[in-house]
Amino acid sequence: MRNFTLPERELMGSGHLGCQGCGGALAMRYVLKALGEKTIVVIPACCWTIIAGPFPYSSLKVPVLHTAFETAAVAASGVRAALDIQGDTETTVIAWAGDGGTFDIGLQSLSGAAERNENIIYICYDNEAYMNTGIQRSGATPLLAWTTTTPEKTPKSEPKKDIMGIMVAHRIPYAATATIAYPDDFIRKVQKAKSIYGTKFLHVLAPCPPGWRAPSEWAIKLSRLAVQARVFPLYEVEDGERYTLNAPQADEPALPVSEYLKLQGRFSHLTEKDIQTIQGIIDKRWQKLLKLVQS
Amino acid sequence: MTPILTGTKKVVTGNHAVSYGVMLARAQVISAYPITPQTQVVELLSEFCANGTLRAKFIKVESEHSAMAALIGAASAGARTFTATSAHGLALMHEMLHWAAGARLPIVMANINRAMGPPWSVWTDQNDSLSQRDVGWMQVYCESNQEVLDTVIQAYKVAEKVFMPAMLVLDAFVLSHTAEPVEIPDQALVDQYLPPYQPIYKLDVNDPHSFGALAPPDVYMELRYKMHRAMEDALAEWARADEEYHELFGRRYGLIEPYRTDDADLILVTSGTVTSTAREVIDELRAEGRRVGLLKIRVFRPFPAQFVREAVANARKVAVIDRNISFGMGGIFAQEIKAALYNACDRPPIFGFVAGLGGRDITPHVITEIIEYAESHDDPEDLIWVGVKR
Ligand SMILES: Cc1ncc(C[n+]2csc(CCOP(=O)(O)OP(=O)(O)O)c2C)c(N)n1
Ligand SMILES: [Mg+2]
């Protein structure tokens, strides 16, 4: 166990409107701890539209610009341009979007911003479905998961989209995965992103207890298991080519994916065979990642 | 750095007149996406940004939807912003047009009127801009390249006063690609007319606020009421901006422009470039002793209802030319004018003509036919299709 100190500053209030155990709420808290006051947050339609608080309240002590669902990256680009032309190059602009706003409807404007290498940090808090509208499947929903639009009889038949692969293919200066179970790794990555010029992309696994059908006190546990079972390995990619693996270690024995799946109601319908299929996909992806790390 | 002559005459297209207006207004963030016939506007602005004539950030986005979203971000952070588009680009922006207005951001945009597909067309008509009637943007229809340039500058003045976005509208090709002598105003005078943008609120890390957060029913309606009030205020602000402009630059356009309407029995109503053609026709008919006049609608949103009522009060008939169609109802300007007149005491009968869709020419001959039709019929008709091959 490594020692690290969590920055003390608190830029998120306790009166936010997240559900109990919301992984996305804790993720924002860590990000603002890492970035500090000189931060502007751009939020498209997602659960965070609600968590940030209704008018006239705000759960964040930094400026927030709410924007339309598919526009996080480009609205953040606009804020950046306005700050730059007015001489403020110090303030950090982050786009903070859900998986739907990133993998699906917002992918076009995200790709545009990345291609232009806009100087923003784009953070996707991934709860693996459209949670705000009631747990519908997104391009980030895992294979065979239950959602309200992929009922148990016909669970999601497609695997999760490889968003990191997509962003890395843009050859942006920095892309990384993170979770709330590894706050030291998470905060270091946010601070590293802040220190780099250009488009930075963070993919943060953010368990949603109501949507994943799991107890609210398990958000962090599930995040950790996701890493240990290699469902969501922690790694970073610089300039689209230099891969670094953070966790789990390459020589660490893997946790069977069933240990992760069995805690979540959204996977309770899975058969042994289903679990083997999922394990197979995860093993294949892990091998691919190891190759990229070694090359 | 290429020096730009200001305070001089230049022969420029309508599109380039927009670019010069934006340069003189010192826009700080520009974002746009190419579409015919708008592209030249942003091509010249790219040159201005590249050679330092204009100190602005140009965000070359991947779509019009993103162009507007980028400007919403930029204007929220306090910058003066600009974009230009046409037809499908404007339609794609629709969601963000609501957003810009609801956020009370004084973004200025030029829309080059182009007919909507399918079938594909690049030629002019007004269905693109009029489809955006209710999004909360001011709309000003221009007749000449000089008016285009002057309207860009006036639009910033009014938009930044009432905190509502403004769209100036010009006809594809007839104006956008046609060169005319245009006086490029002196930069120092424009600076005097249009000081730097001063937002009341902006994204500011030293004074953090949340913009656009969820508004429960007990506050939402008041925000909409304020938008409507701002639009009403904008009527007076357009008049004031026009007057001040006249004092400094010697030109003004009015919200509407009545032409030889004083003793007119029949008043023809137009917008955009059809107005110039109609003016010629009116002069010819007047020379024959016919009592006909012309009313140009320049500012369409906010709608100058009271001015329109007064302008047509003494006419025996009104004939409206619409280069647009609301399917299942009729021409949109005609509907607006009828709505404005319904509660007035003096309301002449209104003939609604739909003409020139998809860029079909509206020639002096067509206009004469329209006038003669209205003159020779006693009962008004809501919708008369002009020149359709049936
Ligand atoms: C254009 C548009 N379509 C649909 C919606 C409705 N909508 C709001 S939030 C949301 C789901 C957001 O999902 P995600 O991005 O994953 O964020 P989460 O709610 O899961 O945090 C949807 C579909 C919208 N606001 N705008
Ligand atoms: Mg989600």
Side-chain angles (χ1 to χ4, degrees):
Chain A
M1 191 83 203
R2 277 167 300 161
N3 276 334
F4 88 105
T5 20
L6 202 61
E8 258 181 41
R9 60 188 161 210
E10 202 60 82
L11 293 168
M12 184 175 153
S14 54
H16 68 77
L17 296 185
C19 305
Q20 271 186 23
C22 172
L26 190 51
M28 175 71 92
R29 181 168 169 235
Y30 287 151
V31 165
L32 291 181
K33 275 181 175 294
L35 293 176
E37 283 92 0
K38 289 208 160 128
T39 306
I40 293 175
V41 182
V42 176
I43 303 179
C46 58
C47 283
W48 254 97
T49 308
I50 307 301
I51 303 173
F55 173 84
Y57 306 105
S58 179
S59 61
L60 301 182
K61 293 178 190 154
V62 296
V64 176
L65 178 67
H66 290 274
T67 187
F69 197 9
E70 57 288 317
T71 63
V74 69
S77 309
V79 173
R80 177 77 270 158
L83 296 182
D84 286 347
I85 198 79
Q86 294 173 97
D88 174 1
T89 50
E90 209 188 323
T91 298
T92 304
V93 181
I94 69 168
W96 177 270
D99 47 290
T102 303
F103 288 58
D104 298 341
I105 199 167
L107 187 60
Q108 172 178 322
S109 75
L110 171 58
S111 172
E115 183 268 329
R116 297 189 304 274
N117 199 25
E118 296 284 353
N119 189 23
I120 57 171
I121 305 179
Y122 188 106
I123 305 177
C124 169
Y125 73 99
D126 180 4
N127 51 27
E128 304 196 313
Y130 298 149
M131 295 309 183
N132 176 274
T133 39
I135 326 173
Q136 294 84 24
R137 63 92 83 189
S138 77
T141 303
L143 181 71
L144 296 175
W146 162 90
T147 67
T148 55
T149 50
T150 50
E152 277 179 17
K153 279 207 173 118
T154 52
K156 194 181 180 235
S157 48
E158 307 80 15
K160 186 181 177 93
K161 200 186 271 189
D162 178 12
I163 194 70
M164 279 293 283
I166 292 170
M167 295 315 295
V168 166
H170 286 75
R171 296 187 203 88
I172 51 174
Y174 188 64
T177 62
T179 87
I180 52 172
Y182 295 74
D184 52 343
D185 173 82
F186 188 1
I187 286 177
R188 179 185 64 78
K189 284 171 175 167
V190 174
Q191 285 172 340
K192 182 165 177 181
K194 185 184 174 178
S195 72
I196 297 171
Y197 182 92
T199 305
K200 287 79 62 175
F201 179 79
L202 292 186
H203 181 199
V204 180
L205 185 70
C208 167
W212 291 12
R213 297 288 190 251
S216 59
E217 64 272 26
W218 284 2
I220 295 173
K221 178 176 176 170
L222 285 169
S223 306
R224 187 176 305 113
L225 293 179
V227 175
Q228 291 171 345
R230 300 168 176 171
V231 172
F232 196 84
L234 299 180
Y235 62 103
E236 34 196 333
V237 189
E238 283 157 281
D239 301 318
E241 49 191 35
R242 292 191 306 283
Y243 282 70
T244 309
L245 182 64
N246 313 115
Q249 295 312 312
D251 50 7
E252 231 173 87
L255 194 74
V257 71
S258 56
E259 296 299 303
Y260 170 68
L261 300 175
K262 74 180 185 197
L263 301 183
Q264 307 172 52
R266 63 174 173 157
F267 293 116
S268 60
H269 55 279
L270 296 190
T271 62
E272 260 320 304
K273 202 170 147 246
D274 291 341
I275 295 173
Q276 274 171 23
T277 308
I278 294 172
Q279 185 70 62
I281 292 176
I282 282 165
D283 292 345
K284 215 165 138 189
R285 287 215 197 120
W286 174 252
Q287 289 309 323
K288 195 178 151 200
L289 179 63
L290 287 185
K291 271 201 198 109
L292 289 166
V293 171
Q294 282 149 12
S295 68
Chain B
M1 211 173 126
T2 331
I4 297 292
L5 298 176
T6 57
T8 52
K9 276 214 164 167
K10 247 174 128 48
V11 178
V12 298
T13 61
N15 276 343
H16 286 174
V18 175
S19 321
Y20 278 101
V22 174
M23 175 202 78
L24 290 165
R26 298 189 189 278
Q28 294 169 295
V29 177
I30 298 167
S31 186
Y33 191 78
I35 185 168
T36 302
Q38 149 271 22
T39 21
Q40 296 164 341
V41 175
V42 291
E43 283 169 4
L44 188 56
L45 284 171
S46 306
E47 297 272 343
F48 288 162
C49 290
N51 65 23
T53 309
L54 177 61
R55 210 181 77 80
K57 290 266 171 189
F58 194 139
I59 311 178
K60 286 143 197 173
V61 282
E62 85 305 327
S63 74
E64 289 87 351
H65 192 282
S66 283
M68 190 47 63
L71 297 191
I72 285 164
S76 301
R80 182 173 284 164
T81 55
F82 178 78
T83 188
T85 191
S86 289
H88 292 259
L90 187 68
L92 186 61
M93 276 182 195
H94 178 77
E95 180 192 26
M96 303 322 286
L97 297 180
H98 279 284
W99 203 285
R104 306 295 300 273
L105 299 170
I107 298 168
V108 172
M109 158 162 65
N111 180 67
I112 323 301
N113 267 150
R114 163 180 164 180
M116 295 295 299
W120 285 116
S121 164
V122 291
W123 297 279
T124 196
D125 81 30
Q126 300 169 324
N127 260 62
D128 59 348
S129 52
L130 291 173
S131 296
Q132 308 300 338
R133 186 188 66 172
D134 300 332
V135 293
W137 279 63
M138 298 189 276
Q139 287 197 7
V140 185
Y141 288 78
C142 298
E143 181 192 345
S144 70
N145 292 354
Q146 184 71 62
E147 185 182 351
V148 164
L149 185 149
D150 295 338
T151 301
V152 173
I153 297 166
Q154 291 188 355
Y156 281 106
K157 181 93 173 171
V158 178
E160 292 173 8
K161 185 84 189 186
V162 300
F163 294 100
M164 294 298 276
M167 179 194 308
L168 61 132
V169 185
L170 49 147
D171 289 303
F173 301 110
V174 186
L175 221 47
S176 69
H177 286 62
T178 305
E180 291 180 337
V182 169
E183 190 174 299
I184 315 284
D186 181 65
Q187 180 71 64
L189 278 185
V190 176
D191 289 345
Q192 187 184 327
Y193 178 80
L194 186 68
Y197 171 43
Q198 293 287 351
I200 309 176
Y201 306 103
K202 64 172 184 175
L203 294 165
D204 180 357
V205 289
N206 297 312
D207 182 22
H209 290 281
S210 171
F211 294 77
L214 190 73
D218 63 324
V219 294
Y220 185 90
M221 194 158 162
E222 281 66 27
L223 296 172
R224 289 301 176 262
Y225 168 75
K226 286 182 177 178
M227 285 169 73
H228 184 71
R229 285 297 305 270
M231 276 293 203
E232 288 179 337
D233 292 346
L235 283 172
E237 292 303 335
W238 273 103
R240 188 170 303 143
D242 205 36
E243 273 318 303
E244 272 180 48
Y245 201 85
H246 180 247
E247 276 163 34
L248 284 173
F249 305 101
R251 288 182 297 276
R252 70 178 147 210
Y253 303 95
L255 283 82
I256 58 169
E257 185 202 327
Y259 180 71
R260 305 186 81 167
T261 51
D262 278 352
D263 62 342
D265 288 334
L266 179 123
I267 294 179
L268 184 70
V269 183
T270 58
S271 56
T273 53
V274 182
T275 311
S276 305
T277 319
R279 217 184 256 110
E280 299 280 323
V281 174
I282 297 292
D283 285 344
E284 277 171 29
L285 297 179
R286 279 281 180 178
E288 294 169 14
R290 285 159 65 178
R291 300 188 1 164
V292 289
L294 176 67
L295 178 65
K296 161 184 165 181
I297 308 282
R298 177 176 179 243
V299 177
F300 173 76
R301 274 294 177 278
F303 194 73
Q306 189 55 36
F307 293 104
V308 171
R309 276 179 208 139
E310 285 161 16
V312 303
N314 297 323
R316 294 203 7 245
K317 284 175 188 171
V318 170
V320 183
I321 301 183
D322 269 297
R323 203 168 208 163
N324 61 76
I325 171 80
S326 172
F327 304 105
M329 185 58 184
I332 294 168
F333 276 84
Q335 289 174 44
E336 297 276 322
I337 291 164
K338 283 183 207 167
L341 291 184
Y342 189 78
N343 284 340
C345 313
D346 304 303
R347 45 187 165 103
I350 294 172
F351 290 77
F353 294 91
V354 165
L357 301 186
R360 186 169 298 183
D361 273 343
I362 302 181
T363 61
H365 177 72
V366 170
I367 293 174
T368 309
E369 273 187 357
I370 287 171
I371 291 173
E372 285 176 350
Y373 186 100
E375 278 180 338
S376 62
H377 286 71
D378 288 330
D379 296 329
E381 290 169 51
D382 288 327
L383 175 54
I384 304 141
W385 286 86
V386 180
V388 170
K389 303 184 270 285
R390 287 181 229 241

